[in-house]
Amino acid sequence: MLRTALRNVLAHKARLLMTVLAVMLGVAFVSGTLVFTDTLGNAFRNQSAKSYDNIAVAVEGPYGDSTEAGIPAATLKKIEGLDGVAAVTGRVSGFAGVADQDGELIGSGWSNKGGNFAPDKDGKDAAYDFVQGTGPVEAAQIALDKTTADAGKYRVGDTVRVASTGPVKEFVLTGIFTTEDGAVNAGGSLVLFDTEVAQRQYLQAGRFQNLTVAAEPGVPAERVLAGVEPLLPKDSQAKTAQAWADEEAKEIESGMAGMNAMLLAFAGIALFVGIFLIANTFTMLVAQRTRELALMRAVGASRRQVKRSIILEALFVGTLASAIGFGVGLGLATGLRSAMDSWGVKIPAGPLVVSPTAVLAALGVGIAVTVLAAWLPARRAAKIPPVAAMSSVHAAATAKSLLVRNVIGSVLTGAGALAIVGGASSGGSSGRMMIGAGAFLALIGVIVLIPQLARPVIAVFRPFLMKAFGVSGKLAAQNAVRNPRRTGATASALAIGLTLVTGLTVLGATLGQAIDRTTTDNLRGDYAVTMASGHSLDESAVAAVAKAEGLTAFSAQQAAHLDIDGEHRAASGIDPAGVAEVFDLPVVNGSLDTLAEGRIAVAEKTADEQGWKAGDTVSATFEGKGKKDVRKLTIGAVYEDNEFVSPYLVPREVFAPYEERPEIREIWVKMEGGATEANKQALIDALGDNPAVAVQDEQEIRDAFGGVINVMLNIMYGLLAMALIIAVLGVVNTLAMSVFERQQEIGMLRAIGLDRPRVKRMIRLEAIVISMYGAVVGIALGSFLGWAVGETIRDSIPGYELVIPFGRVGLFLLLAGLVGALAALWPARSAAKLNMLTAIKTE
């Protein structure tokens, strides 16, 4: 039986190749994901550990904007004097943006970083390897990482424009260095300043954000830690370097887990779709060998031996495909790593990590999926009666009741639909979990029912096919429903992929429209001025915008809070003169003009919840700059809720006595003549051509929100493409089976006048019908899921309304038809080449 199994595998190379491809793609995804995330995690762990080389203890000082933040230089001196301490290095860091030769920001903004050059007695900083020049030792000097210097085409001695939160400043470049700093690896930049400059810029003179302590040879880190801790300010945190490294390793592993789970989920989808292709392949092979298997039974083979021979074939195919897939997965992991480098996300150097878990998981999954998919065809093969060997034709399939199948499918589909609707009604994360469970049940139920749905759904296409293509169209429609189970299995593969694609598309289109509506309905201004890094703007930016040519109105938006009745309430500090000009704030009662008198405005929902109206007074506690006051604030206006401002609008002057550094998130601007290139340039010029400051018009604001959604959708589409490729292979397999089973019939059709072009057309149309059938089912279920998930986030998305993107849905249908046509090329050609006399004699 083993020899028979191996012989049968080699006897059907072309069709088994498609099965190998299906399993190979799924296994490649699994192995590539595991190897890639293991490699990525190992590289970042090594980088993290390297940053603690030659360090015994690391200390983080207290955070905040108060004068108590950070660690005083005096504390550093005391630690240096401890017994067993070799050296202590103080660090400060924050945002720093470097302009290129054209004035544009180098790097990704959020990961652009500045720090201090901390030389030892030899004038070197162990954290950086200088390839040119030296580190900065004067206020007007800086050093740049090599990647940034190359991007800006800077050389030692050049003048470089650098911006932090304040105005742009010019520095002389004294050195270029290499580093494994995470900011640079993430696509950002690193600027080193003289220590005093960095302290004034990011903290305050004479204080450090963190310290690293090196021990003398032979001195244990725990002993150094015990000496350091009593010297530190309150709220500081000190640990051994090994403890910090272990903690960061856990954080890296946790961060990798989410990406790993997402990629493995798509690998699972690909393998799930592959099950249908594998099952179809082995069903086809069993159908081809009906007489052979029956003859084996007649000469003494038991049912168990026949079943075992089919399973052995699957085991051989699964092992071969898994081995090839694992090799492809290694290439995929290497390619992903290179792709991240090309996207500007640099991964620290390190070897490709191939763990035993990755090998066993990939091979185990591939073999298990193949054997599982082949089990049912093997079971059917074992039931072939020996008497079938005496027949000159294949044994006709007996008509069995499908009542049990229909009941199971209906129950699963109904339960899934109820769970989906229930989750949509519940909302929130719990509702989405219900929808996920319901989607799984509904998908399985639809797969069970899909053969029975074939006739009514395909009947919709039949009149069009007959009218447009005549006999070929009629025969194609009939052939598509001749074997509903096989058609259903093929259509299921496409349905699964298009269910996910359509659901994502519906959700993305709905969110995109909501964002557009929110922007249009809530803004009157022409531009938003923000920091490219996401940090807060400096007060100097507000003063600069106020002097811009063509300015008609502006309002800074300062993130703040009011302490009312012991609860923190989010508030927006605004400029009274311009707030109504840059935001759409319809007034319910009172007047926004009262903001200029020091009154506040409250959003309508908040006012209704608290029972407030214009003229009411509230008590708020303010604390900061070493003082704490309780002030009476009068509500001057109640306005309709606006998503771009907080529920409380408070003049910025009210917060001024209590804010060390106002957290100005944006400056909203209205210009004479609206959003034009000239007006945008006027704002840029007023801000000093600062590379770290972004000036966005309304469309750019929409893109900033919607761009994230589009990027995520494109990633999802790319990942789902593998499942759709496998579905295409399934269509090819089904058509090949159909042509084989109908050789005699095709010969008869040729004999009575159906020429080769019409035979080809019949096969192509059959493929298109099956593909369109799967697409219709997938689009319907995907739209339903998109609606359900959208309902769970309706309350958190202003202006939410369900959008069915009919243009994209139509495109999906066209692509499904194209997929069918392409998949039919080889089977159609094979059918047309059949010799009619030979085909007629085929048994």
Side-chain angles (χ1 to χ4, degrees):
M1 298 304 293
L2 178 61
R3 287 197 302 270
T4 301
L6 293 175
R7 185 201 67 193
N8 288 327
V9 167
L10 298 175
H12 304 91
K13 300 181 184 68
R15 288 165 190 165
L16 285 173
L17 176 62
M18 288 182 282
T19 303
V20 169
L21 284 173
V23 179
M24 181 199 74
L25 289 172
V27 170
F29 215 150
V30 172
S31 59
T33 294
L34 293 174
V35 171
F36 175 67
T37 52
D38 285 347
T39 299
L40 206 61
N42 182 70
F44 282 117
R45 281 192 295 271
N46 289 342
Q47 180 193 56
S48 174
K50 186 177 180 181
S51 65
Y52 293 107
D53 283 351
N54 304 317
I55 294 173
V57 173
V59 182
E60 286 189 357
Y63 291 101
D65 294 330
S66 69
T67 55
E68 301 302 317
I71 303 169
T75 300
L76 184 149
K77 292 294 183 184
K78 290 179 182 178
I79 295 173
E80 281 183 331
L82 289 174
D83 184 34
V85 171
V88 183
T89 303
R91 301 286 184 190
V92 287
S93 62
F95 170 76
V98 181
D100 63 15
Q101 304 288 350
D102 298 322
E104 299 295 328
L105 181 68
I106 299 174
S108 55
W110 61 270
S111 59
N112 290 341
K113 180 180 171 184
N116 66 305
F117 176 68
D120 56 20
K121 296 177 182 179
D122 297 327
K124 297 180 180 180
D125 190 328
Y128 310 104
D129 295 322
F130 279 81
V131 294
Q132 295 180 37
T134 60
V137 292
E138 296 180 7
Q141 297 177 342
I142 61 165
L144 292 177
D145 70 273
K146 189 175 186 302
T147 302
T148 303
D150 290 344
K153 299 179 181 178
Y154 289 121
R155 295 178 294 180
V156 172
D158 287 349
T159 298
V160 182
R161 299 173 70 245
V162 181
S164 55
T165 55
V168 180
K169 296 180 180 179
E170 292 187 345
F171 297 86
V172 175
L173 182 63
T174 63
I176 297 172
F177 57 88
T178 58
T179 178
E180 288 294 322
D181 189 279
V184 177
N185 285 327
S189 60
L190 179 59
V191 184
L192 294 182
F193 300 93
D194 174 64
T195 294
E196 291 185 6
V197 173
Q199 286 176 325
R200 290 194 302 269
Q201 189 163 269
Y202 299 125
L203 195 58
Q204 52 187 300
R207 301 183 81 89
F208 298 96
Q209 291 167 334
N210 52 69
L211 306 177
T212 56
V213 184
E216 292 180 348
V219 177
E222 289 74 14
R223 175 182 158 187
V224 175
L225 178 64
V228 167
E229 285 183 318
L231 302 178
L232 298 176
K234 182 182 177 182
D235 297 327
S236 296
Q237 191 175 17
K239 295 180 184 178
T240 64
Q242 186 60 53
W244 283 113
D246 292 344
E247 185 175 303
E248 290 186 10
K250 289 181 180 178
E251 292 177 358
I252 291 168
E253 185 175 345
S254 176
M256 293 289 104
M259 179 174 67
N260 198 23
M262 182 186 74
L263 293 174
L264 286 176
F266 283 97
I269 293 169
L271 287 169
F272 185 55
V273 173
I275 286 176
F276 296 99
L277 171 56
I278 299 164
N280 256 359
T281 299
F282 281 94
T283 298
M284 176 176 64
L285 297 179
V286 169
Q288 289 178 346
R289 291 157 46 205
T290 300
R291 293 190 64 191
E292 175 190 328
L293 295 172
L295 185 60
M296 290 172 62
R297 290 289 315 283
V299 297
S302 66
R303 287 187 174 185
R304 181 175 296 179
Q305 286 178 312
V306 171
K307 183 177 179 180
R308 192 181 301 158
S309 72
I310 305 295
I311 295 297
L312 284 173
E313 290 181 39
L315 183 62
F316 179 82
V317 171
T319 303
L320 176 64
S322 298
I324 297 172
F326 186 78
V328 174
L330 294 180
L332 181 63
T334 304
L336 280 173
R337 183 169 181 167
S338 300
M340 291 187 74
D341 284 337
S342 66
W343 295 335
V345 181
K346 294 185 179 179
I347 300 174
L352 199 67
V353 178
V354 183
S355 66
T357 301
V359 178
L360 293 175
L363 296 179
V365 165
I367 294 171
V369 165
T370 308
V371 172
L372 176 65
W375 179 81
L376 188 58
R379 185 170 175 269
R380 289 175 182 164
K383 291 183 177 181
I384 295 175
V387 73
M390 310 304 173
S391 175
S392 60
V393 294
H394 299 307
T398 59
K400 294 184 179 180
S401 172
L402 296 175
L403 178 62
V404 174
R405 182 187 183 113
N406 291 343
V407 169
I408 293 174
S410 299
V411 169
L412 289 173
T413 304
L418 287 174
I420 292 170
V421 173
S425 302
S426 300
S429 58
S430 61
R432 287 190 285 275
M433 291 180 66
M434 286 181 64
I435 291 172
F440 179 76
L441 290 175
L443 198 57
I444 297 297
V446 168
I447 289 170
V448 173
L449 286 175
I450 206 167
Q452 310 315 309
L453 298 173
R455 291 185 182 277
V457 175
I458 293 177
V460 175
F461 297 102
R462 185 179 298 170
F464 168 76
L465 292 172
M466 292 175 62
K467 186 174 181 180
F469 302 103
V471 174
S472 296
K474 181 179 180 180
L475 290 172
Q478 290 175 345
N479 291 334
V481 295
R482 175 176 295 185
N483 190 330
R485 290 189 179 183
R486 189 176 63 222
T487 297
T490 305
S492 294
L494 280 170
I496 293 168
L498 282 173
T499 293
L500 299 172
V501 169
T502 304
L504 290 170
T505 301
V506 168
L507 197 58
T510 300
L511 292 176
Q513 179 170 292
I515 290 170
D516 286 349
R517 186 180 295 113
T518 298
T519 306
T520 302
D521 293 348
N522 291 289
L523 291 180
R524 288 183 177 176
D526 300 313
Y527 296 103
V529 177
T530 60
M531 288 292 291
S533 62
H535 293 79
S536 58
L537 290 155
D538 189 73
E539 281 281 5
S540 60
V542 180
V545 167
K547 299 176 182 178
E549 184 179 349
L551 179 78
T552 59
F554 79 96
S555 176
Q557 182 164 206
Q558 175 180 331
H561 70 269
L562 293 174
D563 195 337
I564 300 175
D565 298 329
E567 292 185 14
H568 286 311
R569 314 287 179 91
S572 292
I574 48 84
D575 294 298
V579 67
E581 297 296 323
V582 295
F583 297 114
D584 187 16
L585 300 168
V587 175
V588 178
N589 56 71
S591 173
L592 292 175
D593 292 339
T594 59
L595 290 169
E597 302 168 8
R599 298 191 177 192
I600 67 171
V602 181
E604 185 178 12
K605 288 182 181 178
T606 302
D608 290 343
E609 290 172 0
Q610 301 295 328
W612 293 337
K613 61 182 184 303
D616 289 349
T617 301
V618 298
S619 295
T621 302
F622 294 84
E623 187 173 3
K625 289 186 178 180
K627 53 187 174 182
K628 183 176 182 179
D629 297 328
V630 177
R631 297 180 57 175
K632 297 288 185 180
L633 300 175
T634 302
I635 299 174
V638 175
Y639 61 91
E640 293 182 9
D641 289 69
N642 185 299
E643 298 302 321
F644 283 87
V645 296
S646 299
Y648 296 86
L649 297 182
V650 183
R652 293 182 61 225
E653 291 77 7
V654 174
F655 294 111
Y658 312 98
E659 295 282 356
E660 290 281 354
R661 295 180 181 176
E663 188 179 349
I664 302 170
R665 308 305 300 178
E666 310 104 5
I667 306 172
W668 297 93
V669 182
K670 193 172 184 63
M671 303 288 285
E672 184 179 354
T676 65
E677 285 298 322
N679 282 336
K680 184 173 184 177
Q681 190 60 49
L683 278 175
I684 292 172
D685 292 343
L687 290 161
D689 196 15
N690 191 326
V693 176
V695 179
Q696 296 176 307
D697 60 23
E698 187 175 287
Q699 186 58 51
E700 288 170 329
I701 295 169
R702 291 176 183 170
D703 293 342
F705 288 103
V708 176
I709 296 173
N710 291 331
V711 168
M712 290 181 64
L713 282 176
N714 289 335
I715 292 173
M716 298 295 184
Y717 290 157
L719 294 173
L720 287 171
M722 187 171 293
L724 293 176
I725 290 171
I726 295 174
V728 172
L729 295 176
V731 176
V732 176
N733 239 11
T734 295
L735 293 174
M737 178 194 292
S738 179
V739 170
F740 170 78
E741 290 181 348
R742 304 197 322 256
Q743 287 186 61
Q744 190 178 61
E745 175 188 317
I746 293 172
M748 292 294 295
L749 290 172
R750 289 290 316 283
I752 62 175
L754 195 68
D755 57 16
R756 287 183 176 180
R758 289 182 181 179
V759 170
K760 286 184 179 180
R761 188 181 306 149
M762 176 185 71
I763 302 299
R764 285 197 295 265
L765 290 174
E766 182 180 345
I768 292 171
V769 166
I770 293 173
S771 299
M772 295 286 280
Y773 171 46
V776 168
V777 173
I779 288 170
L781 187 55
S783 299
F784 179 48
L785 290 175
W787 164 80
V789 174
E791 288 297 304
T792 65
I793 59 175
R794 172 185 285 275
D795 293 339
S796 60
I797 305 294
Y800 180 93
E801 288 183 10
L802 180 68
V803 175
I804 303 295
F806 291 104
R808 292 189 188 180
V809 168
L811 179 61
F812 293 159
L813 285 172
L814 288 175
L815 289 175
L818 180 61
V819 161
L822 293 175
L825 290 176
W826 173 56
R829 185 169 177 269
S830 298
K833 290 176 66 177
L834 284 175
N835 182 287
M836 67 179 72
L837 295 178
T838 303
I840 290 172
K841 292 189 296 181
T842 299
E843 297 182 355

